[in-house]
Amino acid sequence: MSEMTTTGADDDAAVSRFVERFAAELTEAGMQRMASRVFAALLASESASMTSAELADQLQISPAAVSGAIRYLSQVGMVSREREPGSRRDRYVLHNEVWYESLTRRDAILTRWEKVLRDGSEILGPDTAAGRRTAETAEFFEFLQKEMLSMLDRWRAYKDAGAGS
């Protein structure tokens, strides 16, 4: 059974075009192509979950391509695998608040990058062009991290207030 809309072929075609368009944007931003397509299909599905067979059927890709995409999406914390009740089949489920969680994890990466860059600035010498450039890059990541945390706090308050719904 397809996870696409049940109102007709025109709606299914429109959903497919949206999935491919958004997947292309994610790929352009650096995500793996198949992972982008699988993520977009899950995002566009009513239940935010699909089986491997449903994904392969909707996207017209092989089960192996689905498996590789799911492996990547699981590793980066964007989807999880759940056992379908009463079945041996797995369902792949899009995490709630996937963007919030992804940006929160990015915070730890920025912290590590900032530390390495500050160490690098000292090694390169704070009075050298390379040292100053590296220190400025560390300052940028520190600034970005503070702004991102503040933005995520504002998003949480905005969402909790029911705004935008």
Side-chain angles (χ1 to χ4, degrees):
M1 168 178 226
S2 172
E3 257 293 321
M4 285 204 199
T5 61
T6 57
T7 56
D10 288 344
D11 288 339
D12 286 352
V15 170
S16 288
R17 284 191 304 275
F18 162 73
V19 165
E20 295 303 328
R21 183 174 168 210
F22 187 56
E25 291 294 330
L26 292 171
T27 302
E28 184 70 25
M31 186 184 282
Q32 296 175 356
R33 183 173 180 270
M34 280 302 151
S36 297
R37 293 182 73 210
V38 167
F39 177 81
L42 287 168
L43 184 67
S45 73
E46 191 62 25
S47 65
S49 74
M50 298 172 81
T51 65
S52 179
E54 289 169 338
L55 285 162
D57 181 54
Q58 179 177 331
L59 298 171
Q60 297 296 294
I61 59 177
S62 72
V66 171
S67 179
I70 291 296
R71 188 176 320 106
Y72 171 82
L73 292 169
S74 295
Q75 287 172 345
V76 297
M78 297 178 84
V79 300
S80 59
R81 183 185 316 238
E82 295 180 0
R83 181 69 64 183
E84 197 169 72
S87 171
R88 294 186 345 180
R89 293 190 313 175
D90 288 328
R91 291 195 74 73
Y92 303 107
V93 181
L94 192 66
H95 286 178
N96 287 333
E97 300 185 337
V98 67
W99 299 115
Y100 180 89
E101 291 173 13
S102 179
L103 286 172
T104 301
R105 281 189 303 278
R106 183 80 45 177
D107 177 56
I109 293 168
L110 292 176
T111 299
R112 291 194 319 260
W113 288 359
E114 179 191 343
K115 181 182 180 339
V116 170
L117 287 162
R118 290 202 186 284
D119 291 347
S121 176
E122 287 300 314
I123 291 167
L124 295 168
D127 296 329
T128 67
R132 286 189 299 274
R133 190 171 45 252
T134 307
E136 183 177 320
T137 304
E139 289 171 21
F140 171 76
F141 285 127
E142 178 183 24
F143 173 82
L144 186 62
Q145 183 179 21
K146 287 176 184 173
E147 290 298 310
M148 191 168 22
L149 290 174
S150 175
M151 179 183 62
L152 291 172
D153 288 343
R154 288 192 313 274
W155 165 250
R156 176 63 62 204
Y158 176 83
K159 187 175 180 210
D160 289 347
S165 299

